[in-house]
Amino acid sequence: MVSNLDSVVLSVVIPCYNEEPNLDDLFTRLITVLDQLHLTYEIICVDDGSRDHTLKRLIEYHHSNPMIKVVNFSRNFGKEIALTAGIEYAKGDAVIPIDADLQDPPELIQDLILKWQDGYDVVYCKRRSRQGETWLKQKTAGAFYRIISKMTPVPIPRDTGDFRLMDRRVVEALKLLPERHRFMKGLFSWVGFKQIAIEYDRPPRSKGETKWNYWQLWNFALDGITSFSSLPLKVWSYIGLLISLLAFIYATFLILRTLILGIDVPGYASIMVVTLFLGGVQLVSLGVIGEYLSRVHDEVKRRPLYIVRDCYGFEKDTHKN
């Protein structure tokens, strides 16, 4: 339990990718909130290979406010990796990841800290509503959370993003997890600790356009499922047993029919249907195995999660990978 905020250091982590239009409003609102808390803070911005002037603006903000620190990747590594880097560079007693598009309202930070003071190690924000999103995206997101909650033994809260407060103990636990395909929402839940939710209405994106298309969201969902569930692998064993059982029943039927009615010429169409069906089942099962195998391949290569080109605001001996 944290009773005195005067000695607390708070780290706010912001992954950034082409977020130049949002930076002015973001820092205005965020710094206003943080200054009202009367504590020591740092804002760690991770530029994930932006193609606009995001990095230039972040450096300008750093020069005007030393509490704003910048980690610049050598290329785009993805949001989950940028979030990981920001958490690793954070030095605070509590760490708060937040999106740069202001869909995570900075004004909720005070509520997060109050729950942290009550003794919770993780305080996550659960979306009561998702404004500015299409009907299809809301339905697919809801379906994903329902599916993954059924498939994994790790309880991953529904309608919850990365916006949360984590105690230093949770951050240190997360830094022990080395996997390359990182589904951070699952990792936040996997480490455990005492967690509680606060609900909020998620506003629409402030400016600019989302960086996530449906293909990227599909791959993101695959990462989540394959990282926290082996059920897709197991299910094909049961499908194989079921097909074998049906084949045995059908073979028994054909033998009995031949013994009773005599030999007839089997139909070409039925043979083709069965052949194509079994071929499709085999290809799908190989595809599922391939998804897991490709992730194993990435893990055994042991490449660093990210490469930092340069940093602004950190001590010279700070080194992460």
Side-chain angles (χ1 to χ4, degrees):
M1 180 180 296
V2 180
S3 57
N4 185 9
L5 292 180
D6 292 338
S7 60
V8 166
V9 178
L10 179 67
S11 297
V12 179
V13 174
I14 310 175
C16 299
Y17 178 66
N18 295 345
E19 295 291 354
E20 180 186 2
N22 291 309
L23 294 181
D24 290 337
D25 292 340
L26 170 65
F27 287 121
T28 298
R29 289 173 59 181
L30 180 58
I31 293 175
T32 299
V33 169
L34 295 177
D35 286 342
Q36 292 173 351
L37 295 174
H38 303 293
L39 47 70
T40 303
Y41 66 85
E42 62 176 0
I43 301 173
I44 300 175
C45 303
V46 182
D47 184 70
D48 188 23
S50 297
R51 299 179 180 178
D52 59 3
H53 294 97
T54 296
L55 177 61
K56 178 182 177 182
R57 296 300 312 282
L58 289 176
I59 296 174
E60 291 173 354
Y61 270 106
H62 162 67
H63 290 312
S64 64
N65 185 348
M67 295 299 100
I68 299 175
K69 305 176 181 181
V70 183
V71 178
N72 178 31
F73 280 176
S74 62
R75 65 170 177 84
N76 178 258
F77 286 90
K79 181 186 176 182
E80 303 296 284
I81 302 300
L83 181 56
T84 298
I87 291 173
E88 290 184 347
Y89 273 86
K91 299 298 183 181
D93 302 296
V95 178
I96 300 179
I98 188 171
D99 286 346
D101 57 13
L102 291 174
Q103 288 189 288
D104 299 336
E107 292 75 15
L108 286 175
I109 290 178
Q110 185 172 4
D111 296 332
L112 298 177
I113 292 177
L114 289 175
K115 289 294 184 181
W116 180 47
Q117 288 182 288
D118 288 339
Y120 292 97
D121 301 304
V122 178
V123 188
Y124 58 88
C125 297
K126 185 175 183 180
R127 300 158 186 160
R128 190 164 41 222
S129 64
R130 304 165 66 104
Q131 303 172 24
E133 295 185 357
T134 64
W135 174 87
L136 179 60
K137 187 172 182 179
Q138 293 184 35
K139 291 299 182 182
T140 52
F144 166 71
Y145 283 110
R146 287 193 297 272
I147 291 172
I148 198 169
S149 65
K150 299 289 186 182
M151 297 179 66
T152 174
V154 179
I156 300 176
R158 297 185 184 182
D159 299 317
T160 302
D162 300 319
F163 188 30
R164 65 192 64 215
L165 181 147
M166 297 176 290
D167 186 83
R168 168 51 56 180
R169 291 175 294 179
V170 180
V171 172
E172 293 300 324
L174 286 170
K175 289 165 67 174
L176 297 175
L177 307 180
E179 55 252 51
R180 270 57 187 162
H181 289 270
R182 304 182 69 82
F183 180 64
M184 296 304 295
K185 298 175 185 62
L187 296 181
F188 292 148
S189 298
W190 186 89
V191 295
F193 293 93
K194 190 177 180 181
Q195 305 197 12
I196 192 173
I198 62 173
E199 293 188 347
Y200 75 110
D201 297 309
R202 192 187 195 201
R205 184 180 178 86
S206 176
K207 296 178 182 177
E209 297 180 355
T210 178
K211 312 305 184 298
W212 294 87
N213 56 43
Y214 282 104
W215 178 248
Q216 291 172 318
L217 290 172
W218 167 254
N219 288 321
F220 181 66
L222 286 181
D223 283 339
I225 292 173
T226 54
S227 296
F228 286 89
S229 176
S230 59
L231 184 60
L233 285 174
K234 296 177 181 178
V235 71
W236 291 105
S237 299
Y238 296 105
I239 291 176
L241 288 173
L242 178 61
I243 293 175
S244 298
L245 178 61
L246 293 176
F248 177 77
I249 294 173
Y250 186 57
T252 303
F253 167 74
L254 290 179
I255 292 172
L256 293 176
R257 190 181 69 169
T258 301
L259 292 175
I260 297 172
L261 301 178
I263 300 175
D264 60 351
V265 179
Y268 173 78
S270 61
I271 294 176
M272 287 300 299
V273 169
V274 171
T275 301
L276 292 174
F277 172 73
L278 292 178
V281 169
Q282 291 172 344
L283 289 175
V284 172
S285 62
L286 286 174
V288 172
I289 295 172
E291 288 290 338
Y292 282 89
L293 186 60
S294 67
R295 284 156 174 78
V296 173
H297 180 243
D298 287 339
E299 293 293 333
V300 299
K301 286 187 291 189
R302 305 298 297 172
R303 291 175 180 169
L305 286 177
Y306 54 88
I307 297 176
V308 175
R309 186 176 185 272
D310 40 38
C311 295
Y312 302 85
F314 297 93
E315 296 179 3
K316 292 183 179 181
D317 59 349
T318 300
H319 175 72
K320 306 286 179 180
N321 60 18

